[in-house]
Amino acid sequence: MEKIAYVNGSFVPLGEAKVSILDRGFLFADGIYEVAAVLDGRLVDNASHLARLERSVGEISLPLPETTERIQEIQKELVTRNQLANGMVYLEVTRGADAGRDFAFPKGVKPTLIMFTSEKDIVGAASARTGIGVITVPDIRWARRDIKSVALLAQVLAKQAAAEAGAGEAWMIEDGKVTEGGSSSAFILTQDDVLVTRQNGSEILPGCTRKAVVKLAEERQLRVEERAFSVEEALAAKEAFITSATVFVQAVVSIDGKPVASGKPGPMTRRLREIYVDFARATAV
Ligand code: PDD
């Protein structure tokens, strides 16, 4: 069955889903995206993703072409049309296609909205059991990483370097501290059982999974500190892990080839993963 995509009001076969070469997403990366997980055919923590979408588009003065209520209806319809049980819905909104290539915002141009789905067994993924290695790379991104912009070249290069090194993610380093993963938030559990993840701000994307995990951990009386940490601190930690919509909670077992603690996923990471999966199932829409 050919997959169905959504393009500007229409559901079309993926192979026929096209936007103009003048689209500003293509020319300038003038667009915003979101990725929401799908579990058992339902959207995980989608209100959080849609709230971040609204914030991101607001930060670049890009009007959404549909209400977030309608966007969720389209997401759901796409899941149904593609008979998607487990995976994700990708959505992107750009400032649309103008008649040429003016840098400044065009007038009277309708934003582009596209969506597609892909399958992934997030809960059963092998890397969830084994954990992943990460490599470190300099964080060469722009200064507004809180905006979920489609300008992802720095992350493409970081994650390609990780792939070439046989690692599952790249941790980006700025001023001696980890900012975040190429497409995930970074956490450690210190020797005295404090969960540490970098505070939100313009240096990182405010991860939806990060937010939920912090809340779930605090509700269970775990101590959480939102602050930057170094690679040395991570290597001296009890556990390390990443979070994102497409991995949920995933153990980090080595950094630049050096093991974190025993080099195996730790009990707290496994527990937080279970807690997050329960939360995801219980709240999916
Ligand atoms: N990436 N940090 C960055 C730079 C990210 O790209 C992502 C998500 C996250 C985690 O955010 P969330 O928990 O809301 O997924 C943190 C998505 C999954 C992607 O680009 O595919």
Side-chain angles (χ1 to χ4, degrees), residues 33-37 45 48-49 52 88 90 141 145 147-149 152 155 159 169 172 179-186 203-212 242-248 276:
Y33 77 109
E34 272 299 333
V35 177
D45 208 8
S48 191
H49 288 282
R52 188 173 61 191
M88 58 118 184
Y90 175 91
R141 296 175 297 165
R145 302 156 190 163
I147 299 171
K148 200 162 173 58
S149 141
L152 292 171
Q155 284 103 309
K159 289 178 80 88
E169 178 59 297
M172 298 179 287
T179 53
E180 59 186 329
S183 61
S184 58
S185 310
E203 301 81 18
I204 63 166
L205 184 77
C208 296
T209 322
R210 172 197 177 284
K211 184 179 179 188
I242 58 169
T243 62
S244 81
T246 50
V247 301
F248 292 172
Y276 185 80

Side-chain angles (χ1 to χ4, degrees), residues 195-213:
L195 209 52
V196 179
T197 189
R198 194 177 181 115
Q199 71 280 9
N200 283 330
S202 54
E203 301 81 18
I204 63 166
L205 184 77
C208 296
T209 322
R210 172 197 177 284
K211 184 179 179 188
V213 166

Side-chain angles (χ1 to χ4, degrees), residues 186-190 194-198 223-229 233:
F187 284 74
I188 57 171
L189 179 72
T190 66
V194 180
L195 209 52
V196 179
T197 189
R198 194 177 181 115
R223 264 181 65 204
V224 180
E225 269 176 31
E226 298 190 43
R227 62 166 173 85
F229 61 85
E233 200 179 354

Side-chain angles (χ1 to χ4, degrees), residues 24 62 87 90 124 162 171 228 271:
R24 295 175 62 91
L62 168 59
Y90 175 91
W171 274 6
R271 182 79 193 108

Side-chain angles (χ1 to χ4, degrees), residues 106-153:
K107 290 198 176 66
V109 168
K110 198 167 182 237
T112 298
L113 175 63
I114 64 97
M115 295 187 206
F116 60 85
T117 63
S118 67
E119 281 172 43
K120 182 179 178 188
D121 181 6
I122 303 174
V123 173
S127 55
R129 286 189 301 281
T130 59
I132 56 159
V134 302
I135 61 160
T136 59
V137 297
D139 196 334
I140 61 169
R141 296 175 297 165
W142 75 324
R144 288 300 309 276
R145 302 156 190 163
D146 55 311
I147 299 171
K148 200 162 173 58
S149 141
V150 294
L152 292 171
L153 190 51

Side-chain angles (χ1 to χ4, degrees), residues 36-44 79 84-89 120 122:
V38 173
L39 253 192
D40 305 324
R42 292 183 303 144
L43 294 161
V44 174
V79 168
L84 181 69
N86 296 299
M88 58 118 184
V89 180
K120 182 179 178 188
I122 303 174

